[in-house]
Amino acid sequence: MVHVRSTHVDRPEQQGDWLQPVAAAEIKTQLREHCRQLEQQLSGEAASQWLRKGQEMVEILAALNLDAESLLAALYSPAYQAGQISRETVVAQHNERLAELLDAVQQMQMISDLQHFQHGKPNLEQIDNVRRMLLSMVADVRAVLIKLAERICRLREVKGDDEETRVLVAKECQDIYAPLANRLGIGQLKWELEDLAFRYLHPQTYKAIARQLHERRIDREEYITDFVKNLGAGLREEGVEAEVYGRPKHIYSIWRKMQKKHLSFEQLYDIRAVRIITQSLKDCYAALGVVHSQWRHIRSEFDDYIATPKANGYQSIHTVVIGPEQKHVEIQIRTQNMHDDAELGVAAHWLYKEGSAGKSGGFEEKIAWLRKLLAWHEDMAENDDLVAEVRSQVFEDRVYVFTPRGEVIDLPAGATPLDFAYYIHSQVGHRCVGAKVDGHIVPFTYTLKNGERVEILTQKNTKPRRDWLNPALGYLRTSRARSKVATYFKKLDRDKHLKAGRELLESELHKVDIPLSQATTVLERFNFNQLDDLLVAIGAGDVRLNQVVNQLKPAPDATAERLERLQRKSKRKSGKQSDVSVQGIGNLMVQFAKCCQPLPGEPIMGFVTQGRGVSVHQRDCEQLKHLLEQHPERGLQVHWSRQEQGRYRADLRIDADDRHGLLHDITAILANEKTSVAQLDSQLDTHTQQARISLGIFIEGQAGLQRIIDRLLQVKGIHRVERSASN
């Protein structure tokens, strides 16, 4: 719980007091001078608005004891984000560090991407934005604190806007920024975000609770004053040094407890609240003994968060006692350090005010900070299903780990220490001999987890092993690391591949009487600049040898010679005249391709094969397209001759629902069409009860085949009949 600052939404606007919370006189002087400079640089009607907002943010953040650079960034941030002042100006007038901090605050705007995820699946750009935002947040926590202050200012300024604007801003703060402040343990910002958002989202309930608090304020304050006086006297008698005071109760926390425990306002235990701040842990439990000895406590309302801290690190003892007049009083007991943690959260630990120039060297703090951020999306998911998609695409498919210097590394989920090593640098991976995670030796196959600190052990003369590329062994799980290892071995094997490729290509070219030097004419075709590169690719198997040889062969002459040879061979064979004419050339050996089985009347095209004559395909045959891409010079224009009488085989594939009598109905159709059956096979999927029938038949032409297909489709249960390649 926190003290209500003078900057609460209900206070009247006060001019000139924005520097009052700043403790150091030197920092006050600096901020006042920079404020005058900024006022001179701004222009336009909105200039005063950006300046006032910056001052208000300074007023909010001064209570967190941030350094001068952080407060200066807060002063400049509204104008910087509005484009009123450029990055170059900031660097020229101040320094690069301040510009980087302002950039980090601006990057926090990516949090709004989370709000859009509830309206649909996020795109890759949004996902990448959230990842980069997370890394930026870890790099400099001050950016997050400044962003939270900016959101509080935004909540205050929409007080006079229309209801839709107020609700949208409040919903974003309630779903995203308040859980973030809670996860970071910053009570001063968390409660104001929650109270202001609650006021806009539930105005009637807010006013009702506020009215009930106000009506009993005088009696409650008198009661608390007497209670604190008696409690302080009891602590002094027992020698416990402590500060005791009453504390305000926030409206949102009252409402939440009423909802959680189904209580009315009159039934709440902690409308009257007292806090005890001690100097040591021992005094906390001594003070608890004094409290419980003077008043009877309610056991169900006792919580020891010192022994068992909350997830965000919060520590305190909570107890409720039955005080004078049988009225309930909630008491919180904590040390001064615990109180600072509860009020300031991570800001109490990040060592900005100790001259560290905005960077903390301790990776332990950053690991704890990262773990809080990774748990933050769980807090949001409890409020609303806002980040269901983020959980799967931003967090669950990534792992965030640290180097020994505290730098955060973003890796795919499932990454190993070897993946981490290759992410740092190729040479670190090549020379890796071991790895430590959080100070303990782990195997190379260890799966890294969020927030772990990874240290790679190297030796100068160590080399990678080929079994690292074996996916079954689990050494490398990222394509980036596998690519670096594969590249290493490719370079290592270059000489061997060069020799093998030269021997292979020379041998094949010798058969067709082509010198190796002529291979330079096809380098551009295979995207190489030098002949050695082509030879290495052939030796490694990256380029097929026959592709290179075919490109070097004199295609037109070779095709003509092959046609002449086939024609001479065909004249020596006897048999019936071919049903296909090839470019006016007669007596040529022709065969019909089994892949598409062309029928008389269908558009066809020929392809000159090696030793098997001309293969005739349907014009739209996929196999023919592939062949022509490799050897376009072998394509021939062919057409059906006038003598089209004869029988041709056609293969069909039938998909149908299995039932009794299905094969009988199919064979009955074939019998009626006087069609001979060359093959009939059937397969049954017992799970889906679907039958697949392979049917080979002899027909006289395309028209007859189409007639049979049409009749088969009329059979009950058959839902597809199509041509297929023959076996």
Side-chain angles (χ1 to χ4, degrees), residues 643-714:
Q643 298 179 354
E644 297 182 359
Q645 301 300 321
R647 298 203 309 165
Y648 301 86
R649 172 165 172 157
D651 290 275
L652 301 176
R653 186 177 66 191
I654 303 172
D655 292 333
D657 300 325
D658 186 47
R659 63 176 176 83
H660 292 294
L662 177 62
L663 291 178
H664 176 269
D665 292 346
I666 293 174
T667 55
I669 289 176
L670 299 177
N672 291 336
E673 290 291 329
K674 298 180 181 180
T675 302
S676 299
V677 178
Q679 176 190 358
L680 179 61
D681 296 321
S682 65
Q683 295 177 340
L684 173 65
D685 188 331
T686 57
H687 294 289
T688 62
Q689 291 298 307
Q690 294 292 304
R692 171 159 289 184
I693 301 170
S694 298
L695 178 63
I697 57 178
F698 289 103
I699 59 173
E700 294 184 355
Q702 183 184 18
L705 176 63
Q706 189 59 48
R707 186 171 61 252
I708 292 173
I709 291 175
D710 292 341
R711 294 200 58 185
L712 288 173
L713 286 172
Q714 296 175 8

Side-chain angles (χ1 to χ4, degrees), residues 260-509:
K260 182 178 180 180
K261 298 191 174 183
H262 305 288
L263 300 173
S264 64
F265 183 85
E266 291 75 14
Q267 294 174 304
L268 291 178
Y269 293 145
D270 53 356
I271 298 301
R272 290 164 290 274
V274 171
R275 180 172 290 146
I276 301 174
I277 307 297
T278 69
Q279 298 301 313
S280 66
L281 178 62
K282 179 181 69 174
D283 287 343
C284 287
Y285 290 97
L288 178 65
V290 172
V291 170
H292 284 181
S293 66
Q294 289 193 12
W295 299 285
R296 182 165 57 89
H297 74 285
I298 301 175
R299 293 183 178 273
S300 61
E301 296 299 317
F302 177 78
D303 292 296
D304 187 354
Y305 294 120
I306 293 179
T308 308
K310 289 186 177 182
N312 62 2
Y314 175 84
Q315 288 184 291
S316 185
I317 296 175
H318 292 195
T319 186
V320 176
V321 299
I322 302 175
E325 304 177 22
Q326 298 298 302
K327 293 182 178 180
H328 298 102
V329 181
E330 183 195 56
I331 301 175
Q332 294 182 358
I333 308 171
R334 62 179 69 152
T335 66
Q336 185 63 50
N337 287 338
M338 294 175 189
H339 179 67
D340 291 340
D341 288 347
E343 299 296 286
L344 307 181
V346 295
H349 297 284
W350 229 259
L351 309 179
Y352 296 117
K353 54 182 176 290
E354 297 184 2
S356 56
K359 301 291 182 184
S360 171
F363 63 83
E364 292 88 354
E365 292 89 347
K366 287 193 175 182
I367 288 175
W369 164 219
L370 174 61
R371 285 174 176 159
K372 289 176 181 179
L373 284 181
L374 295 174
W376 162 45
H377 75 287
E378 295 291 348
D379 292 344
M380 289 190 291
E382 291 173 3
N383 294 336
D384 195 358
D385 293 333
L386 182 65
V387 289
E389 194 68 35
V390 183
R391 184 185 297 109
S392 63
Q393 298 199 46
V394 176
F395 295 99
E396 288 187 0
D397 69 341
R398 310 299 295 179
V399 60
Y400 300 88
V401 294
F402 287 89
T403 69
R405 296 182 178 180
E407 298 171 352
V408 66
I409 302 298
D410 175 15
L411 295 169
T416 66
L418 269 179
D419 290 310
F420 174 90
Y422 277 104
Y423 184 93
I424 299 300
H425 196 279
S426 297
Q427 291 302 317
V428 175
H430 292 342
R431 298 175 181 177
C432 179
V433 294
K436 287 183 178 181
V437 172
D438 290 340
H440 302 288
I441 295 290
V442 297
F444 283 164
T445 55
Y446 176 81
T447 300
L448 298 177
K449 302 177 182 63
N450 280 322
E452 291 180 329
R453 172 180 175 259
V454 185
E455 180 182 357
I456 299 300
L457 308 178
T458 61
Q459 287 183 0
K460 189 172 183 180
N461 298 323
T462 303
K463 299 178 181 178
R465 304 201 310 261
R466 289 186 185 272
D467 59 354
W468 289 358
L469 292 172
N470 186 345
L473 299 179
Y475 290 112
L476 298 171
R477 296 173 189 162
T478 65
S479 58
R480 174 174 177 170
R482 282 195 296 267
S483 174
K484 289 186 176 182
V485 176
T487 300
Y488 172 85
F489 284 112
K490 279 188 177 181
K491 291 180 179 178
L492 188 68
D493 296 337
R494 178 179 173 84
D495 292 341
K496 181 177 69 175
H497 291 154
L498 177 61
K499 181 180 178 181
R502 185 182 299 275
E503 292 176 353
L504 289 171
L505 187 57
E506 279 185 337
S507 176
E508 287 299 312
L509 293 181

Side-chain angles (χ1 to χ4, degrees), residues 101 104 135-144 350 352 358-359 369:
L101 181 53
L135 298 178
S136 176
M137 292 167 76
V138 178
D140 200 334
V141 68
R142 299 177 300 174
V144 183
W350 229 259
Y352 296 117
K359 301 291 182 184
W369 164 219

